Each structure stands twice: as structure tokens, then as C-alpha cells.
Amino acid sequence: MQLRERISAATKQAMKDRATDRLSTLRLINATFKDRDIAARGDGNETGVDEAELLALLVKMVKQRKESARTYEEGGRLDLAEQELAEVEVIEEFLPKPLSDEEISQAVDSAMSEVGASSIRDMGRVMGVLKGRYQGRMDFGAVGPMVKDRLAAAG
């Protein structure tokens, strides 16, 4: 089932269950998707955004909420931090299972050999391959330094 269909089905179920917090988060996801579709249509893409871009939006939403939760905790607003983390849990239900450290390492090696990476100059191409294939399944902020180190060792 496609991501949009899964979220739509979850929204309907949340309405039936009268799960207001969950419903609120699901509606927020739908609104984010629709905003991005409208922006894509403005750029000439009449079909809207694809699945990979939707996953990227979800990853971005999770990251924003985790940062907000951290800020709320530092400010002593634990109630707001808990609300942000509850939203993170709902959003993460729709993300694919993250790769293990070993799988990430294999994916980096595979991407490097695929593009023929031999120096740090190839980092953008390697990261492009990884982002195209593993969006939502790995933390690119953590993978970037790993790629950089391997390319520095190779060069």
C-alpha cells in the first residue's frame, strides 16, 4: 500500500477510534503533503510529489519535532516535549524500518563502488545515490562523516 493510502486509512481509523491526538498528527502529515503537492504543481509537476519526497518530508517532520522536544525539555516544559515526542511516534509509524549499522556500512561501500568514488570530490555523488535509495532508512547526518572518512582513506 502506498504511503498516502496508509496515512488516509490511519486517519479514518483514528476518527473512528476518537483518538484526537493521533488524528491531529495525521491531519498535519496530510496538510504537509498537500502543501508540497501544491508547490510541485507550481513548478510544473502536475502529478505532485513522489513517494521518496514524501518520505523525506516525514523524516524532516520527525527531526523538527525531536529538536522542539529537546528545546522544550531545556525550558522545563515537559508537557510540550511529551506532545512533540508523541507526534514523532505517530510519524515514525509510516517510515520504513531503519537500516542496521552493518547494513549502512554495506550500503556506503556499494554506493562508493557504483559511482567509482576515489576521492573526497565524489562525496556528493555517493550521498546522492544513498539518498535516492535509502531515504527515511538512514540518518544522513551520521552517514555523511562516515562517507567522508572512507573517501579520505581511499584517496
Side-chain angles (χ1 to χ4, degrees):
M1 190 179 330
Q2 294 295 322
L3 185 59
R4 289 178 197 261
E5 294 167 358
R6 288 177 40 218
I7 291 173
S8 178
T11 302
K12 290 174 187 170
Q13 189 60 49
M15 283 183 208
K16 289 177 186 174
D17 296 344
R18 298 182 194 270
T20 56
D21 292 340
R22 180 174 171 75
L23 181 61
S24 162
T25 303
L26 292 167
R27 285 181 170 157
L28 190 68
I29 293 170
N30 275 322
T32 302
F33 286 0
K34 286 179 183 174
D35 284 346
R36 190 64 195 101
D37 282 339
I38 290 168
R41 286 188 194 105
D43 295 338
N45 183 353
E46 293 303 318
T47 60
V49 294
D50 63 0
E51 195 85 2
E53 197 164 345
L54 295 178
L55 285 173
L57 285 171
L58 290 179
V59 169
K60 184 177 177 183
M61 291 174 76
V62 166
K63 185 176 179 182
Q64 289 170 336
R65 275 151 190 78
K66 285 182 178 178
E67 289 172 6
S68 295
R70 193 172 319 115
T71 303
Y72 287 139
E73 285 174 4
E74 290 170 2
R77 295 296 310 267
L78 297 180
D79 55 327
L80 294 175
E82 287 175 10
Q83 183 179 343
E84 293 290 326
L85 294 174
E87 287 184 7
V88 166
E89 285 181 24
V90 173
I91 296 167
E92 284 181 337
E93 288 176 30
F94 301 99
L95 290 173
K97 182 180 148 285
L99 296 176
S100 68
D101 291 342
E102 184 178 316
E103 290 170 320
I104 290 172
S105 181
Q106 291 172 353
V108 168
D109 290 341
S110 172
M112 285 175 59
S113 65
E114 181 180 323
V115 299
S118 59
S119 73
I120 199 71
R121 291 183 187 149
D122 299 318
M123 183 165 175
R125 291 185 11 226
V126 172
M127 291 301 288
V129 168
L130 291 172
K131 286 182 179 182
R133 286 194 190 137
Y134 302 105
Q135 189 67 48
R137 297 189 68 200
M138 65 172 66
D139 177 8
F140 294 105
V143 171
M146 177 193 297
V147 172
K148 187 175 184 179
D149 291 344
R150 289 192 184 181
L151 289 173

